Amino acid sequence: MHAEPLSLIFLNAAIVNNFVLALFLGICPFLGVSGKKETAWNMGLATMFVMLVSSAAAYGINELLTELDLLFLRLICYIAVIASAVQLVEMFVKRFSPALFRSLGIFLPLITTNCAILGLALFQTAKEYDFLQSLVYALGAGAGFTLALMLMAGLREKLALAKVPDVSQGAAMSLMLAGLLSLAFMGFAGLGGSHG
Amino acid sequence: MAELPDTREKLTPDTFLRGLWEENPVFVMLLGMCPVLAVTSTTMNALAMGLATTFVLVCSSMLVSLLRNWIPKQVRIASYIVIIATFVTIVDYGIQAISLELYAALGAFIQLIVANCVILGRAEAYASKQRLTTTFVNSLGMGAGFTLALLALGTVREILGNGTILGISLFPADFQPWIVMILPPGGFFVLGAWLLLFNWLRLRKERKQTEQIGVTAHAR
């Protein structure tokens, strides 16, 4: 696992084991912010940035805690780092793009409870990636998340104009769509190597 | 701050029952979807995940409720997260000690209970304002509702995708299981189907009510 090439790590995180459609991480923003393509794109970028920061920080923390033999504090430290990273992004976005800040609304602080980010930190620890591998993994996961969000937003923008039965409106329809997307992504299984 | 209305809820059966049906965290509020979809490929996993989440939910809500007058408002979310993370660590080590097999099956999703918005939502919206007893009953109800939803998905997916329930075979030996149901897409489809069912029930009820109002209005 250690010698895993960077290109495969990226491919694996972004497409084969897509965080949203294959691993079920980050479903809440996936269903919540996928109404419009533009918001979806910005949300994807913000999430990718938080992923990169927290992935780098999580790597350092894990080394430190292993050194000190305090591994039971890992979870608490990770979530604290993620919360700080989200705070950072929030301040950054508010300063440089107030319009974007308003359009993301409540979902910006909610990145903290996006399990894709915590999941990323936990997975990279479990897979024992080194620093560079972790960063590439984070980049891939972020790209995959953005891809899933954009696909969903595109579908839902089209669907908003279509006439669907009353009974299937709202979340039920979104979930069925997500199921179809997930089914399509299963076609990538086996691409780029046999490791999970 | 002139009039502070008494927002504290009285303890009624509804405090518990609301979590099961009216405000079901999964089917009605659509919270905490990630574990709902990810670990429900078998009934056993669903049950274990439901119980673990309920434990964290009840314990952290109670602690938040106890400390509600001491936690400063500005840092409350961070404090809640740390409280939740503490209990999740306990559950994580607990499950590891009880059954390694179960621990492997649930994987990272035990630790991901931290990021379950049902729990943070309860802490913020309920436990930080209510007394200990009502908080206990309410969060127990929410936990039960969450477990119920997980079971609803887990059983359907296990029966369709594996032909078994709790590991006991239901069909004759030449039964071909519908494998896609235990794979990721199946999770989305089954949850979507449950939501369709609930939508249908709700619409039917609404239609009946309007019809009844129409009938009484006509009779007058």
Side-chain angles (χ1 to χ4, degrees):
Chain A
M1 287 299 275
H2 282 270
E4 213 179 321
L6 295 179
S7 56
L8 279 191
I9 293 180
F10 182 83
L11 206 62
N12 189 16
I15 295 189
V16 182
N17 280 322
N18 185 290
F19 266 52
V20 179
L21 296 170
L23 299 180
F24 297 122
L25 297 170
I27 302 286
C28 304
F30 177 64
L31 294 178
V33 209
S34 60
K36 268 164 62 189
K37 266 188 275 192
E38 203 194 335
T39 349
W41 174 246
N42 291 328
M43 183 68 186
L45 290 189
T47 308
M48 194 182 331
F49 180 76
V50 177
M51 275 178 170
L52 274 174
V53 173
S54 49
S55 160
Y59 180 78
I61 288 175
N62 191 38
E63 291 290 299
L64 189 72
L65 290 181
T66 317
E67 196 73 23
L68 298 173
D69 203 18
L70 286 174
L71 280 180
F72 59 90
L73 285 179
R74 192 157 64 194
L75 192 61
I76 298 181
C77 291
Y78 279 6
I79 196 84
V81 163
I82 292 171
S84 329
V86 170
Q87 195 76 50
L88 200 75
V89 170
E90 203 179 334
M91 289 187 318
F92 189 78
V93 172
K94 200 174 180 180
R95 172 78 179 72
F96 289 101
S97 171
L100 175 58
F101 184 74
R102 273 193 301 276
S103 76
L104 287 178
I106 180 70
F107 283 99
L108 198 55
L110 274 186
I111 299 181
T112 313
T113 50
N114 183 340
C115 43
I117 294 167
L118 185 63
L120 174 84
L122 293 172
F123 287 151
Q124 78 176 37
T125 315
K127 291 186 173 184
E128 298 179 355
Y129 283 156
D130 64 25
F131 186 67
L132 198 60
Q133 283 175 323
S134 301
L135 280 190
V136 172
Y137 192 52
L139 210 59
F145 182 77
T146 315
L147 178 68
L149 220 58
M150 287 298 286
L151 282 174
M152 192 66 180
L155 283 174
R156 279 179 66 178
E157 271 187 6
K158 284 271 182 295
L159 202 69
L161 303 171
K163 222 175 142 112
V164 293
D166 279 349
V167 77
S168 66
Q169 241 142 26
M173 198 65 182
S174 306
L175 280 164
M176 287 293 178
L177 274 180
L180 290 176
L181 274 181
S182 167
L183 206 55
F185 266 70
M186 268 177 63
F188 290 114
L191 177 72
S194 54
H195 44 74
Chain B
M1 295 292 274
E3 19 59 88
L4 197 67
D6 191 16
T7 51
R8 284 187 300 181
E9 191 187 344
K10 287 230 170 56
L11 188 63
T12 56
D14 193 47
T15 316
F16 179 79
L17 291 176
R18 230 175 13 206
L20 282 183
W21 180 248
E22 218 175 299
E23 289 180 10
N24 187 299
V26 177
F27 291 135
V28 179
M29 302 207 289
L30 298 174
L31 290 175
M33 306 291 271
C34 309
V36 172
L37 293 166
V39 298
T40 51
S41 52
T42 69
T43 317
M44 196 60 218
N45 290 355
L47 186 63
M49 188 67 197
L51 292 181
T53 310
T54 307
F55 173 79
V56 176
L57 180 61
V58 170
C59 291
S60 55
S61 302
M62 281 169 68
L63 196 60
V64 166
S65 172
L66 272 179
L67 296 175
R68 68 181 186 273
N69 293 329
W70 283 282
I71 297 178
K73 223 172 164 11
Q74 294 83 357
V75 293
R76 65 183 195 287
I77 300 287
S79 322
Y80 299 159
I81 290 265
V82 171
I83 290 173
I84 295 168
T86 312
F87 284 109
V88 172
T89 310
I90 296 173
V91 167
D92 187 47
Y93 279 78
I95 292 185
Q96 214 170 347
I98 296 166
S99 163
L100 264 182
E101 197 188 336
L102 194 63
Y103 187 75
L106 295 180
F109 278 93
I110 303 172
Q111 300 189 0
L112 285 175
I113 297 178
V114 179
N116 190 329
C117 18
V118 176
I119 301 175
L120 192 64
R122 267 305 89 182
E124 165 76 8
Y126 198 92
S128 58
K129 301 186 192 92
Q130 306 286 344
R131 270 178 325 211
L132 188 63
T133 40
T134 42
T135 303
F136 173 71
V137 174
N138 184 272
S139 55
L140 202 62
M142 278 286 161
F146 188 72
T147 313
L148 200 71
L150 281 170
L151 278 177
L153 254 81
T155 38
V156 170
R157 286 180 72 187
E158 195 183 340
I159 291 172
L160 292 177
N162 208 11
T164 58
I165 183 163
L166 284 169
I168 304 156
S169 193
L170 287 181
F171 298 102
D174 56 350
F175 171 75
Q176 284 287 329
W178 194 7
I179 294 182
V180 78
M181 280 300 153
I182 50 174
L183 294 174
F188 287 116
F189 285 138
V190 175
L191 184 58
W194 276 109
L195 287 179
L196 279 182
L197 180 69
F198 287 131
N199 268 353
W200 180 70
L201 286 177
R202 209 193 52 231
L203 279 179
R204 205 178 61 158
K205 200 173 145 197
E206 271 169 22
R207 207 174 314 131
K208 265 197 186 146
Q209 269 169 356
T210 45
E211 265 169 28
Q212 226 153 35
I213 292 167
V215 168
T216 41
H218 193 71
R220 277 177 196 169

